[in-house]
Amino acid sequence: MSNQNKATLSVDLNSFIYGVSRRNFQNAPELTKIGIGLLKNFPAARDAVLEYFAMVFHDAVNISLNQEYEPDSNNNGSLESVSMIGPELCNLGESWAPFIAPWCINLIMDIATEKANLPNATLQNTDPIRILLDITTQNLTLLNSEERAKCIDMMLGCRACSWAVGLVGRAEPALVAPRALALAPDAARAVLAHLANHPPALYHVRAALVDLFQEAIREDGNPEKKREVIPYLLNLASKSDIVLKALTQDIENTLTDEVVARLQTVPCRGEAVSPAALVALLMRCDARCYLLLLRHAQLNTFCRHLLEQLLQKLEYENLFAESKIPLLISCAEEINILREKLLVGNRLEQYSIARILILVSYNFPSEFVSTISYLLQHSRSDTTLALLVRIISGTSNMHIPNDEALDTERYQEFVKTGVEYALRDAMIADTQIKKCFIENVPNDQKTFLHHLCLNIITLLRWENSGRVPSLRSRSIARAVESSVYRLGAVLRERACELRERPAATALSLPDMPTCHALAQVLDRIDLTGTKSPPPSVEAILKVVQATVKYFFRCLLEDDVMQKVRGVQTACGLFRKVCGYSKVARNAALRDLLEAALFRYERVFTPSQDRQDRQAAADDLLLYMNRKHGPITQLTQSHTSVFHAGVIGKGARKHSADDAPPTDILTRDNELLMGALMACMQEGNSGVVEGATSVSLLLVELISPDVMYNGLPWPDEDFTKQVSIERELYTRVCVERCGVARSCLRRCGRARPALCLSAALLRAAAASLLHRLRAHLDRHTQSSELSQELAALKELLTLMTLGQLLPHPLSHMLELAPELTATETVQVLRDCLWNYTRDHVPTPALFACDATGLHWRDPSTCKPPAQYTDTLRLIIQKRISKLGHMYPIMFLNLEKET
């Protein structure tokens, strides 16, 4: 060293000693600069310089805590010096680290001990402490493992600076965590709490805890240490959330069945392993710990008792509104796992999870709604449905109500929302592509909506049985009744034949099982308003439309038993809805008749007739006549003679197959009649009113226009000159439609409804009269004459059944087979047509007795002789063959006259 350097160093040393001896921190920045120079150039002054730096840090900490200085004042020399010291001590290198690191640690310990009465957060947030921690951290990283461990042990030895250990130890968490666990629980908790605030350090904390735990359960370990480790860990976890989180992270991999079996052999004692302490600890854990306890409770008696105590403690603590239990919060976050376990777990797991779900549902209403929706969709057994009932009733009855009515209605709204969500989600699930529908679809696979309906049907059956006390409030039925409109819309959509069926989805499955289930749900709820508020008119009409579509889809079923069951369900719905609402009855009757006459005519048509209808397009009479020539035909030319035929059926065929079927009471037809009768109210008055609506609808749907649809029968010449084409069209429509003929018979039984179908009867009578006369004029016995006579028999049967023809005119039905064509024309004109022309068949002619039965009194409706003389003369003329009818028809009539 040169003489000049020695002189400079001597001056700096004297200035430093003189300045430090005065203990004046106003010139601290100058002394700090001198001290840094001495520290680099004169290592022998190391202790003195570091001691002065310690004094500067102490003064800077006091100034920072008092906060009585101004940023530009002269009393912040220590703070300026500290900002100078930090970078210099961090950059001294590895050779200085063994001296700087212990000095920093001792300084931190001194300051922490001196300021032990201050909160740790206040102390560690000061600038001098942050700088000091940075110096310590930087120099610790430059030490070897042995020196670093000694420094950490120095800090762990001071209880007042546990916060510093946690902050400094973030650089070496793997070194700090195991040493912290060697401290007492309180000291270890303080260190680990600060250490684990650094997220990457949590892994090392957990590794240290697991290592300590594995060491305790080793078979060749120290028995005394085993006895102390488990209580120590539990005690530490009870005091530290960080330790508890580290212990319970991936707990399924830590506490395997083998580890639990070994754990039972480890001797443990103390309050930390008592059931009460374990229950308190479990209440702070997450849902995975609860599921692990459930798994071991099946075979372990202690775990089973611990589980029961935990559930009782949770139920008790949950009574206090201000309590926030971490276990319940975690269960709410992991509720999907709990619901899945509820479906597939054993009996103990199912009932224990149900109790937890009750507590979660009570604290989190949104989870209550989603739980109802989930279980309604995914339950596949009565056991899980029973648990759903228990969850609903337990959640509703758990609270202490201020206003019982309001609270009950509030939970009813939750159930209602859950049912709505379940219906919506099931419909969405049916439209989504599922793996099970791509690889292998089982034969008994059901749509998700079908499963939902089956579950609702089971719950409704339990409600209606009255054996389940928790369902006596009809919570499920009321919730389903609030979704009547949506159920009707879904049934209408699924019962529609023409709809999209995406592949690999549940919509590609058969429709009818789902339709049957939806119809049964609607059949089991109250739609009449007797047990709950009645549905809206819009909802009722939607149900009616859906039931009509469902009814006709049932008629298309191949399985007879399924068809009959479905029709019975549909009739039950018609009876229930139409008995409550006249609007629904009118809508149901109209939809049924319109569908039967126009959209589903093929259902009621014999197979042979269906084939003829399909071939008619190639055999139309109009097209056949056009084949005779493209030019306009001359009058009186042989080429202008059209081929005779039946409109819509082509050339006339002289075969028995061309005759309309005589047996109109087919199975499907009878089922339709049963549905129509179901739409009518009970009692004679309801049947008459419904039959009247049917009669009016028949006229409206069959008649080609609105003219001449009244009750009066005009003169015979009027029909021949004005309305004969209309009458022929109407008669053909009625004869070809077995449904219309069956409905007319039903109206004839429900007197006086048949009177309102006078337009249809008049059309048949007018066409018969003129066509029989045409056959008579040709002096030939056409094969069609038998068809006309069959039609005449049916007309007379209807009018007699409806009491439109009084005695003795009602016996024309018995005479008709024995009459010739001439006699038939005379009887039709003189007896039937003229009588109904002069005595219009109106409902006013029918009186109602005490039983509600409408009938015509024979004593007041005797026909005058002018309407019966033709019959009398015909019988007298053919007395040998028809004489047996004379006393029946005229003997009593003559006596009364």
Side-chain angles (χ1 to χ4, degrees):
M1 180 180 298
S2 63
N3 294 330
Q4 184 179 359
N5 290 337
K6 289 181 180 180
T8 303
L9 183 61
S10 177
V11 173
D12 291 342
L13 182 60
N14 291 330
S15 299
F16 180 78
I17 294 174
Y18 176 75
V20 171
S21 64
R22 295 181 60 187
R23 295 185 179 275
N24 184 5
F25 293 99
Q26 295 295 331
N27 58 348
E30 298 178 2
L31 292 177
T32 301
K33 292 179 181 179
I34 296 173
I36 293 173
L38 293 174
L39 200 61
K40 295 179 179 179
N41 301 319
F42 188 56
R46 178 186 61 198
D47 294 337
V49 172
L50 292 179
E51 183 178 356
Y52 172 72
F53 286 172
M55 295 168 56
V56 172
F57 270 99
H58 276 282
D59 186 64
V61 168
N62 292 330
I63 294 174
S64 297
L65 292 175
N66 293 331
Q67 295 186 358
E68 295 179 354
Y69 62 94
E70 296 295 332
D72 297 330
S73 62
N74 297 323
N75 61 350
N76 59 352
S78 298
L79 295 176
E80 185 180 351
S81 300
V82 165
S83 62
M84 296 169 57
I85 294 172
E88 295 295 336
L89 295 185
C90 290
N91 296 326
L92 289 178
E94 295 183 7
S95 60
W96 282 91
F99 304 102
I100 301 300
W103 172 81
C104 290
I105 292 175
N106 287 322
L107 181 58
I108 292 173
M109 293 167 58
D110 293 340
I111 294 175
T113 304
E114 180 183 349
K115 307 296 182 181
N117 58 335
L118 295 176
N120 294 334
T122 302
L123 186 61
Q124 68 189 27
N125 287 331
T126 59
D127 290 337
I129 294 298
R130 284 200 294 267
I131 293 173
L132 193 57
L133 291 174
D134 290 339
I135 299 171
T136 307
T137 304
Q138 292 288 338
N139 285 274
L140 277 178
T141 57
L142 301 177
L143 298 176
N144 57 38
S145 58
E146 183 178 356
E147 293 172 339
R148 198 180 303 126
K150 290 181 180 180
C151 292
I152 296 297
D153 291 337
M154 288 173 57
M155 299 182 71
L156 290 175
C158 179
R159 185 165 184 171
C161 65
S162 58
W163 54 270
V165 181
L167 295 175
V168 173
R170 292 178 182 180
E172 294 292 336
L175 188 64
V176 175
R179 284 173 165 74
L181 293 178
L183 303 176
D186 292 336
R189 177 187 62 82
V191 174
L192 295 177
H194 291 283
L195 181 64
N197 285 331
H198 186 52
L202 184 61
Y203 169 79
H204 299 282
V205 174
R206 184 180 182 277
L209 292 171
V210 172
D211 291 341
L212 186 60
F213 174 73
Q214 295 291 346
E215 180 69 22
I217 62 174
R218 270 176 39 187
E219 297 180 357
D220 57 347
N222 186 355
E224 292 297 328
K225 187 176 181 180
K226 289 183 179 181
R227 187 178 293 109
E228 297 175 356
V229 169
I230 301 300
Y232 171 80
L233 290 176
L234 295 176
N235 188 15
L236 187 60
S238 65
K239 297 180 178 181
S240 173
D241 292 334
I242 299 300
V243 174
L244 180 61
K245 181 179 179 180
L247 282 174
T248 57
Q249 188 177 11
D250 296 332
I251 193 171
E252 303 91 344
N253 300 327
T254 304
L255 290 180
T256 61
D257 295 340
E258 180 183 358
V259 171
V260 172
R262 277 190 290 162
L263 191 59
Q264 295 177 3
T265 63
V266 177
C268 299
R269 60 189 177 187
E271 295 183 359
V273 294
S274 63
L278 292 176
V279 166
L281 194 62
L282 286 170
M283 291 179 66
R284 296 170 46 224
C285 295
D286 57 11
R288 292 170 298 175
C289 298
Y290 179 73
L291 292 175
L292 183 64
L293 179 62
L294 279 178
R295 182 159 64 88
H296 292 294
Q298 188 68 21
L299 301 175
N300 192 297
T301 305
F302 176 77
C303 292
R304 195 177 305 121
H305 292 165
L306 189 63
L307 173 64
E308 181 61 29
Q309 292 184 34
L310 173 63
L311 292 173
Q312 292 180 4
K313 183 68 173 177
L314 287 173
E315 291 169 353
Y316 173 76
E317 292 292 336
N318 201 61
L319 295 176
F320 303 98
E322 67 277 1
S323 61
K324 300 295 182 182
I325 304 175
L327 178 59
L328 294 182
I329 297 175
S330 175
C331 288
E333 296 172 352
E334 303 290 343
I335 196 167
N336 290 330
I337 300 176
L338 295 177
R339 291 170 185 158
E340 293 177 4
K341 196 67 175 178
L342 181 68
L343 296 177
V344 300
N346 54 52
R347 187 64 59 87
L348 177 62
E349 290 175 339
Q350 287 180 330
Y351 279 89
S352 301
I353 291 176
R355 293 174 67 177
I356 281 287
L357 289 178
I358 290 174
L359 301 175
V360 173
S361 300
Y362 172 71
N363 289 279
F364 304 94
S366 61
E367 301 301 340
F368 181 46
V369 172
S370 61
T371 299
I372 295 174
S373 174
Y374 181 87
L375 294 180
L376 280 176
Q377 295 178 72
H378 298 92
S379 292
R380 299 293 182 265
S381 65
D382 290 350
T383 302
T384 51
L385 286 179
L387 293 175
L388 172 60
V389 174
R390 184 172 182 178
I391 291 171
I392 294 175
S393 60
T395 305
S396 304
N397 300 328
M398 185 176 179
H399 65 292
I400 301 175
N402 297 323
D403 189 332
E404 186 173 356
L406 290 178
D407 288 337
T408 302
E409 191 62 28
R410 174 171 173 261
Y411 279 96
Q412 179 59 41
E413 285 296 321
F414 292 153
V415 178
K416 169 188 170 183
T417 307
V419 173
E420 292 177 353
Y421 286 2
L423 183 59
R424 179 201 63 189
D425 294 342
M427 294 173 61
I428 294 175
D430 282 345
T431 62
Q432 295 175 344
I433 295 179
K434 304 289 183 181
K435 183 179 179 180
C436 59
F437 292 102
I438 297 176
E439 296 179 349
N440 184 20
V441 181
N443 295 330
D444 59 344
Q445 180 68 43
K446 300 180 178 65
T447 64
F448 296 96
L449 183 60
H450 190 185
H451 282 297
L452 171 64
C453 292
L454 293 180
N455 291 334
I456 292 177
I457 290 170
T458 302
L459 293 174
L460 293 176
R461 188 176 70 247
W462 292 350
E463 277 191 357
N464 296 331
S465 67
R467 297 180 180 179
V468 185
S470 56
L471 291 178
R472 289 175 183 171
S473 61
R474 299 184 67 252
S475 57
I476 301 297
R478 290 165 60 190
V480 177
E481 288 162 6
S482 63
S483 301
V484 166
Y485 183 87
R486 185 183 293 268
L487 287 171
V490 174
L491 177 58
R492 182 182 178 184
E493 176 189 351
R494 294 300 174 93
C496 183
E497 293 181 89
L498 302 176
R499 66 176 182 84
E500 186 180 1
R501 300 173 185 274
T505 65
L507 291 180
S508 61
L509 297 174
D511 293 325
M512 289 313 294
T514 303
C515 292
H516 291 322
L518 284 167
Q520 291 181 28
V521 171
L522 290 172
D523 189 41
R524 288 182 178 273
I525 60 178
D526 178 31
L527 298 176
T528 61
T530 56
K531 298 180 180 179
S532 60
S536 63
V537 176
E538 186 180 8
I540 288 295
L541 292 179
K542 184 65 69 174
V543 172
V544 168
Q545 295 171 1
T547 308
V548 170
K549 283 191 172 293
Y550 170 68
F551 170 79
F552 285 103
R553 282 300 303 273
C554 290
L555 294 183
L556 297 174
E557 282 275 83
D558 296 329
D559 189 351
V560 177
M561 294 304 298
Q562 290 291 342
K563 174 190 292 189
V564 173
R565 290 195 191 100
V567 169
Q568 287 179 348
T569 303
C571 290
L573 283 173
F574 283 133
R575 192 175 297 107
K576 182 187 300 184
V577 176
C578 297
Y580 151 71
S581 171
K582 290 186 178 181
V583 176
R585 184 193 64 192
N586 295 333
L589 291 176
R590 176 178 290 275
D591 289 350
L592 283 171
L593 286 177
E594 284 186 350
L597 292 176
F598 304 113
R599 293 191 294 274
Y600 292 93
E601 186 183 2
R602 67 186 187 278
V603 178
F604 310 98
T605 304
S607 58
Q608 182 64 35
D609 198 8
R610 279 198 291 267
Q611 296 175 1
D612 294 342
R613 296 279 179 88
Q614 294 175 356
D618 300 329
D619 210 19
L620 292 178
L621 186 65
L622 179 63
Y623 298 157
M624 294 182 66
N625 284 304
R626 285 178 179 174
K627 293 178 182 178
H628 289 277
I631 63 174
T632 303
Q633 306 298 337
L634 299 176
T635 308
Q636 301 298 327
S637 171
H638 69 281
T639 57
S640 65
V641 178
F642 282 79
H643 287 266
V646 179
I647 297 174
K649 295 185 65 175
R652 189 180 301 277
K653 300 176 183 178
H654 302 284
S655 63
D657 294 340
D658 192 48
T662 57
D663 184 14
I664 63 172
L665 300 179
T666 60
R667 179 177 57 205
D668 294 337
N669 212 331
E670 276 299 297
L671 293 176
L672 176 62
M673 294 302 107
L676 291 175
M677 294 300 294
C679 296
M680 305 176 189
Q681 298 179 7
E682 299 293 336
N684 291 328
S685 60
V687 173
V688 171
E689 189 176 354
T692 301
S693 300
V694 171
S695 183
L696 292 172
L697 285 171
L698 285 175
V699 175
E700 178 184 345
L701 297 174
I702 294 176
S703 178
D705 52 41
V706 297
M707 296 180 64
Y708 316 122
N709 281 343
L711 300 181
W713 289 52
D715 291 333
E716 177 191 355
D717 293 338
F718 177 83
T719 61
K720 181 176 18 178
Q721 299 173 5
V722 178
S723 61
I724 186 60
E725 293 184 2
R726 181 180 185 277
E727 312 295 0
L728 284 172
Y729 172 83
T730 303
R731 177 189 166 186
V732 170
C733 289
V734 173
E735 284 186 351
R736 289 186 178 180
C737 183
V739 172
R741 295 152 65 194
S742 298
C743 290
L744 286 174
R745 288 190 180 184
R746 295 285 176 173
C747 294
R749 295 176 186 175
R751 296 180 293 272
L754 191 62
C755 297
L756 302 177
S757 296
L760 305 182
L761 301 178
R762 187 176 66 239
S767 60
L768 282 170
L769 184 60
H770 297 302
R771 295 186 70 175
L772 286 172
R773 182 181 295 156
H775 286 296
L776 182 61
D777 293 340
R778 288 201 302 266
H779 300 288
T780 178
Q781 293 294 326
S782 172
S783 61
E784 293 185 7
L785 184 60
S786 60
Q787 301 178 25
E788 301 298 320
L789 294 177
L792 174 62
K793 179 181 178 181
E794 185 167 357
L795 173 64
L796 294 175
T797 301
L798 281 173
M799 298 187 71
T800 303
L801 184 63
Q803 280 193 321
L804 301 185
L805 298 175
H807 178 81
L809 298 181
S810 59
H811 293 281
M812 286 191 296
L813 177 62
E814 303 173 34
L815 291 176
E818 305 298 334
L819 301 179
T820 63
T822 304
E823 293 170 345
T824 302
V825 171
Q826 292 177 353
V827 169
L828 276 177
R829 183 184 62 248
D830 299 339
C831 301
L832 188 146
W833 190 276
N834 290 341
Y835 175 79
T836 51
R837 179 196 62 191
D838 300 334
H839 301 81
V840 178
T842 64
L845 301 176
F846 294 81
C848 182
D849 59 12
T851 62
L853 182 65
H854 294 76
W855 63 293
R856 293 179 70 177
D857 189 357
S859 61
T860 61
C861 61
K862 298 174 184 178
Q866 58 182 343
Y867 307 115
T868 61
D869 286 344
T870 301
L871 287 174
R872 186 193 301 270
L873 292 175
I874 291 175
I875 293 176
Q876 290 176 352
K877 181 179 178 180
R878 303 174 61 184
I879 193 69
S880 60
K881 193 170 185 179
L882 303 176
H884 65 284
M885 295 297 299
Y886 192 87
I888 299 174
M889 297 174 63
F890 298 105
L891 188 58
N892 294 332
L893 190 64
E894 291 174 353
K895 289 181 179 179
E896 294 174 359
T897 303

